[in-house]
Amino acid sequence: MSKSWADSAPPSNLLLGQDDVSPVVVTNLGGCSPFLLLGDHAGRAIPRRLGDLGLAPAAMDRHIAWDIGVAGLGARLAEALDAVFIRQAYSRLVIDCNRRPGAAGSIPEVSDDVAIPGNAGLGAAEIAARHDEIYLPYQDAIAAELDRRTSVATLLVSLHSFTPVFQGQARPWRIGVLHRGDSRLSDRMLALLRRELGEDAGDNQPYRMDEIDNTVPLHADPRGLDYLELEVRQDLIADPDGQAWAAGLLAALLTEAVTA
């Protein structure tokens, strides 16, 4: 079951209007799994008041706008695990929920050498509207779900995807585990992925978890929760068959990781 942000949320007259989609989509609300699945970059919507951000339509199909395949992967994984999946509906180009507010890249003016005209020269009120109406409801929804789980030892699983080639550099990994060296779940999943995929399982590849990451540290650290941040190569999950393959593999390994 999918659900949008609370119907009782007050309408905004600054950014989001009545015709705009909710910033938060929750799949399988009430799922009993200890895993809480997150999709910071799973959506690519743009508020109507921002037009097209000055971009050609083709740009919104690229990785600069969203994590390709994650929405479908997360929905299938939620079903397989009976897990809750909370994802952002709006594009990372509007505001990046995996960046701290005000940090570089939070509202990018350039992404992978593509200028974002609609993000240039924003005033304080415009920045605040994106934070208050898109970023904050998403992070609040995660916090509310964690508050609800008083009897569950929650394990955060943040889902992302990456391009097969970036700025001319091939990325051979199929799935990467991003971590800070402080996660038992991450260590276990990396070992299991290496068993299944060999060197195609990346250890802090193609990115590493560092001070740039926001969502996992924001929610896991204060609550003492274990976490897993996964990067899946986009060409592998760009269609339903690939998403089903990845969800089947990850569901089996996540189950093994917590029962070992």
Side-chain angles (χ1 to χ4, degrees):
M1 179 179 69
S2 295
K3 180 182 178 181
S4 294
W5 188 237
D7 293 336
S8 60
S12 167
N13 57 7
L14 294 177
L15 181 60
L16 298 184
Q18 295 293 337
D19 293 332
D20 285 306
V21 300
S22 163
V24 185
V25 179
V26 182
T27 299
N28 198 35
L29 182 66
C32 297
S33 170
F35 298 111
L36 175 57
L37 311 177
L38 307 177
D40 296 339
H41 306 142
R44 56 175 172 173
I46 301 176
R48 290 176 181 270
R49 291 176 184 174
L50 299 183
D52 56 12
L53 290 175
L55 296 168
M60 299 306 298
D61 294 330
R62 297 186 56 204
H63 70 279
I64 62 172
W66 63 325
D67 276 350
I68 295 167
V70 164
L73 170 60
R76 287 166 173 78
L77 194 54
E79 181 179 6
L81 294 170
D82 190 24
V84 177
F85 176 38
I86 301 176
R87 69 175 180 88
Q88 173 59 251
Y90 285 93
S91 171
R92 67 200 302 174
L93 297 179
V94 178
I95 188 166
D96 190 332
C97 290
N98 199 32
R99 299 291 181 268
R100 293 185 303 277
S106 170
I107 302 178
E109 295 188 16
V110 178
S111 181
D112 194 12
D113 297 327
V114 176
I116 318 298
N119 289 348
L122 297 181
E126 294 169 299
I127 294 171
R130 298 192 193 192
H131 172 270
D132 294 349
E133 299 174 43
I134 295 178
Y135 171 92
L136 202 56
Y138 173 69
Q139 301 296 356
D140 284 350
I142 297 171
E145 174 62 21
L146 290 173
D147 288 341
R148 185 185 69 81
R149 294 165 162 247
T150 55
S151 60
V152 177
T154 297
L155 300 165
L156 289 182
V157 180
S158 183
L159 301 172
H160 297 265
S161 67
F162 66 96
T163 57
V165 178
F166 183 68
Q167 296 184 346
Q169 183 67 43
R171 293 158 144 184
W173 310 280
R174 287 196 272 175
I175 300 177
V177 176
L178 278 55
H179 60 90
R180 302 173 298 190
D182 60 352
S183 164
R184 294 179 63 189
L185 177 60
S186 299
D187 290 344
R188 182 62 178 152
M189 276 296 290
L190 179 59
L192 292 172
L193 284 165
R194 283 272 168 91
R195 184 191 72 191
E196 300 296 322
L197 304 178
E199 293 303 311
D200 284 351
D203 181 359
N204 271 329
Q205 295 287 358
Y207 305 105
R208 66 182 306 109
M209 181 176 281
D210 54 25
E211 67 280 357
I212 292 176
D213 286 271
N214 177 58
T215 298
V216 166
L218 178 66
H219 296 286
D221 291 357
R223 298 173 188 261
L225 303 178
D226 205 351
Y227 67 87
L228 174 67
E229 186 161 336
L230 291 172
E231 289 273 357
V232 185
R233 209 173 67 210
Q234 289 172 354
D235 60 316
L236 301 177
I237 56 171
D239 59 36
D241 288 344
Q243 293 160 15
W245 165 79
L249 173 66
L250 293 173
L253 297 187
L254 283 166
T255 301
E256 184 176 353
V258 299
T259 56

